[in-house]
Amino acid sequence: MDLTSSQHNHLQNQWVREFERQKVEKEDEQIVAEIMGRRFFPDVIAYKTWEGFHFAGHEIRITEATDCYGAVVWPSALVLCYFLETNSKQYNLVDKNVIEIGAGTGLVSIVASLLGAFVTATDLPELLGNLQYNVLQNTKQKCKHQPCVKELSWGIDLEKNFPRSSCHFDYIMAADVVYHHPFLDELLLTFDHLCKNDTVILWAMKFRLENENRFVDRFQTLFDLEMISNFPSLNIALYKAMRKGRMKARPSKLKV
């Protein structure tokens, strides 16, 4: 049976969409394999549990604590580190003032430091010991600026510990800070307090539950948000955000 012109066009469009879908899936698989290939494990079991990573031309060893959610390296952190490394010309961190919120094990802060930034790595007080250990072990005498570790409980004593008049961050970085926890209001308040008109937020997030979508909606009441990379196989998106009305025209396609 001969196809009409409209039927032919419909089938052709279906083939094009399917081809594009397969192309996106293949690209996603290739990049995710490259990202996950940056992780390695010790050949011999040591008295301290650690994982290794290759970023910014360095071998990074991260000590984890499996009994604490914030002391484990999650895939979102690897996605953000890979982005920082592969887009270091467009997002040049040399001499930039960077703060990471919810730094956890410190991997993102370490990579940003190795790329030349002056970094403040922050998290809850109970995580600071392991965070400080990882940061020191992986940056001492390797960085232009020695990073600092500082307590930051979202929404608490923000003006006291990070006064608006003297704290100016070029970048705020966050990886996997939105999940099923009761402090999403405080997290949004913290973003709002730390972000100046020219501050860029780089935020990697894994979508798990509806909470994530609701937070994104609320986040966009204060900030312009642009998805700059997406990894369907990991269910992780990488965002760039700035104060409302401050986002410039979309840049050329990035490498992630």
Side-chain angles (χ1 to χ4, degrees):
M1 183 177 68
D2 294 334
L3 295 175
T4 66
S5 177
S6 61
Q7 288 174 324
H8 176 78
N9 289 338
H10 178 70
L11 283 174
Q12 189 174 40
N13 288 337
Q14 282 186 318
W15 292 333
V16 169
R17 285 195 296 269
E18 178 62 19
F19 174 79
E20 288 297 326
R21 185 189 65 80
Q22 292 180 4
K23 181 181 177 183
V24 168
E25 285 185 357
K26 185 176 181 180
E27 288 177 351
D28 174 56
E29 290 174 1
Q30 289 174 340
I31 297 175
V32 167
E34 165 66 16
I35 293 172
M36 294 306 162
R38 300 300 187 91
R39 170 185 260 153
F40 68 93
F41 299 92
D43 295 327
V44 179
I45 297 176
Y47 73 98
K48 279 190 176 182
T49 303
W50 62 271
E51 286 186 80
F53 303 89
H54 292 290
F55 285 110
H58 291 267
E59 179 180 294
I60 301 167
R61 294 191 178 191
I62 295 293
T63 299
E64 298 182 316
T66 56
D67 59 341
C68 181
Y69 191 88
V72 176
V73 178
W74 300 99
S76 293
L78 273 70
V79 167
L80 184 48
C81 289
Y82 182 82
F83 173 83
L84 295 176
E85 180 189 80
T86 55
N87 293 279
S88 60
K89 289 186 178 180
Q90 184 164 343
Y91 291 84
N92 186 354
L93 297 184
V94 176
D95 298 331
K96 296 297 191 297
N97 201 10
V98 172
I99 186 169
E100 184 186 6
I101 60 175
T105 61
L107 180 61
V108 172
S109 288
I110 291 165
V111 172
S113 297
L114 293 171
L115 290 171
F118 181 83
V119 177
T120 302
T122 71
D123 216 313
L124 297 169
E126 59 267 28
L127 298 176
L128 295 187
N130 188 60
L131 175 58
Q132 177 71 64
Y133 175 82
N134 284 328
V135 167
L136 186 62
Q137 290 296 309
N138 290 285
T139 62
K140 189 176 181 180
Q141 298 181 335
K142 298 177 183 178
C143 299
K144 185 175 183 180
H145 307 288
Q146 187 60 38
C148 68
V149 173
K150 191 170 181 179
E151 176 185 342
L152 174 53
S153 299
W154 298 337
I156 297 176
D157 293 331
L158 293 175
E159 182 59 29
K160 176 184 175 182
N161 296 324
F162 299 90
R164 290 180 186 269
S165 61
S166 59
C167 287
H168 182 282
F169 297 105
D170 299 296
Y171 290 94
I172 299 171
M173 296 186 184
D176 226 357
V177 293
V178 179
Y179 50 92
H180 188 61
H181 61 71
F183 304 109
L184 294 178
D185 290 342
E186 291 81 357
L187 174 60
L188 186 59
L189 183 64
T190 301
F191 273 123
D192 186 38
H193 180 84
L194 296 173
C195 189
K196 295 289 197 295
N197 283 339
D198 57 348
T199 302
V200 174
I201 299 170
L202 295 175
W203 167 29
M205 181 172 72
K206 182 177 178 66
F207 285 85
R208 300 180 181 88
L209 302 167
E210 187 59 29
N211 273 5
E212 285 84 345
N213 292 320
R214 287 199 296 267
F215 182 84
V216 169
D217 291 340
R218 293 180 57 208
F219 185 87
Q220 290 184 96
T221 64
L222 298 175
F223 303 98
D224 288 327
L225 189 66
E226 176 189 355
M227 183 186 292
I228 53 178
S229 197
N230 186 33
F231 301 94
S233 63
L234 296 175
N235 212 20
I236 291 173
L238 179 61
Y239 293 104
K240 172 186 175 181
M242 294 186 75
R243 285 278 182 198
K244 280 283 187 181
R246 304 296 297 186
M247 190 85 80
K248 296 180 180 179
R250 183 180 176 87
S252 58
K253 188 173 181 182
L254 302 177
K255 293 183 181 179
V256 166

